[in-house]
Amino acid sequence: NAGVTQTPKFQVLKTGQSMTLQCAQDMNHNSMYWYRQDPGMGLRLIYYSASEGTTDKGEVPDGYNVSRLKKQNFLLGLESAAPSQTSVYFCASSYSTGPQRETQYFGPGTRLLVL
Amino acid sequence: GQQLNQSPQSMFIQEGEDVSMNCTSSSIFNTWLWYKQDPGEGPVLLIALYKAGELTSNGRLTAQFGITRKDSFLNISASIPSDVGIYFCAGQKIGSGNTGKLIFGQGTTLQVKP
C-alpha cells in the first residue's frame, strides 16, 4: 500500500493563477482532510470530507474549494492564488466517520509558493 | 477558534538527555494524539491517548492524558539524533458534528546535539 499520496510535491504559481492539488489514498478510508502548515501555526484544517460526495469547511476554507467525487481521491482547488496561500499543504485520511476515535494518516505534503 | 498551546516552541539538547513537552487547551478533548514530523515529510502518529489519566509508552516515548482532559504531556527519554524533528500535539473532540476533526498545537522543534 502506498498510503496517502499527494501531487505535485512542489508548485510555483503567480498571483491569480488557479491550480488543483491532488490527494489519493489506497486504504479504503472514509474520511479525508486537507490541512495547511505555516511556520509557528501548526496544522490548520481547510476542508474535510466524511464520505464520498460530501465536504465541509474547516478552520480556514476561504480561497479554496474541494471535490470528493471518488472515495479514494480528495482534490483541493485554488481558484485565484494569492501570496497568503504560500504554504505546505497536507492531505490526511482516516477510516471511520462519526463519533469514533481514529488515527489520521498524512501524505508527504505539497509545497506551494505563490509569487 | 479553539487553540492548543504547546510548549516549549523549540529545544536544543544534548544526546542522552530526557525531553518533556506539553499541550494545554481551554476546551476538553476526548482524545489526545502526539505526532512527529521529520523534515520534508508529513506527520506520523507516535501515541494516541483515549482516557483521562491514561499513561502510554511507545519505546522511549511516554505520553499522558491529563486528568482535567485539557492537557497532555510527552516525554522522550535518553534522546538520540534521530529524535530530531517537530512534535505536534493534537486534540480530538468526539461527538456529533465533529467528525474526528483534529486541533493541532503549534509544534515543538527538537534538535539533538550528538
Side-chain angles (χ1 to χ4, degrees), chain A:
Chain A
N1 287 351
V4 180
T5 58
Q6 294 182 233
T7 54
K9 290 186 178 180
F10 303 96
Q11 184 70 49
V12 179
L13 292 178
K14 294 181 179 179
T15 296
Q17 286 185 317
S18 63
M19 79 161 296
T20 299
L21 279 63
Q22 301 193 20
C23 176
Q25 53 92 6
D26 61 1
M27 297 174 281
N28 200 34
H29 284 174
N30 293 321
S31 298
M32 297 187 74
Y33 311 82
W34 275 107
Y35 294 88
R36 60 176 290 172
Q37 182 178 30
D38 302 294
M41 300 289 289
L43 289 114
R44 294 181 293 169
L45 183 66
I46 305 172
Y47 269 94
Y48 67 98
S49 170
S51 62
E52 178 182 340
T54 67
T55 61
D56 285 287
K57 294 179 180 180
E59 182 185 353
V60 288
D62 293 343
Y64 304 95
N65 57 74
V66 289
S67 172
R68 182 93 183 273
L69 297 179
K70 294 182 179 180
K71 186 176 184 179
Q72 64 269 32
N73 300 121
F74 195 27
L75 307 180
L76 178 70
L78 284 73
E79 294 178 341
S80 180
S84 61
Q85 293 178 305
T86 293
S87 187
V88 182
Y89 292 85
F90 288 101
C91 177
S93 70
S94 65
Y95 181 69
S96 290
T97 61
Q100 295 188 37
R101 310 162 183 140
E102 279 299 333
T103 300
Q104 289 186 20
Y105 295 87
F106 285 82
T110 294
R111 284 146 187 81
L112 177 66
L113 173 63
V114 183
L115 301 174

Side-chain angles (χ1 to χ4, degrees), chain B residues 67-80:
Chain B
I67 292 293
T68 65
R69 296 168 67 190
K70 292 184 178 181
D71 57 6
S72 180
F73 304 87
L74 176 69
N75 295 317
I76 305 172
S77 63
S79 58
I80 59 178

Side-chain angles (χ1 to χ4, degrees), chain B residues 22-71:
Chain B
N22 69 83
C23 270
T24 61
S25 171
S26 57
S27 301
I28 291 174
F29 290 107
N30 293 345
T31 298
W32 282 95
L33 307 173
W34 284 92
Y35 285 85
K36 183 192 177 195
Q37 184 179 24
D38 291 325
E41 303 290 333
V44 174
L45 183 73
L46 297 174
I47 293 179
L49 302 161
Y50 299 121
K51 293 193 300 186
E54 182 179 357
L55 185 71
T56 298
S57 293
N58 177 8
R60 293 177 296 105
L61 279 63
T62 301
Q64 184 162 25
F65 193 142
I67 292 293
T68 65
R69 296 168 67 190
K70 292 184 178 181
D71 57 6

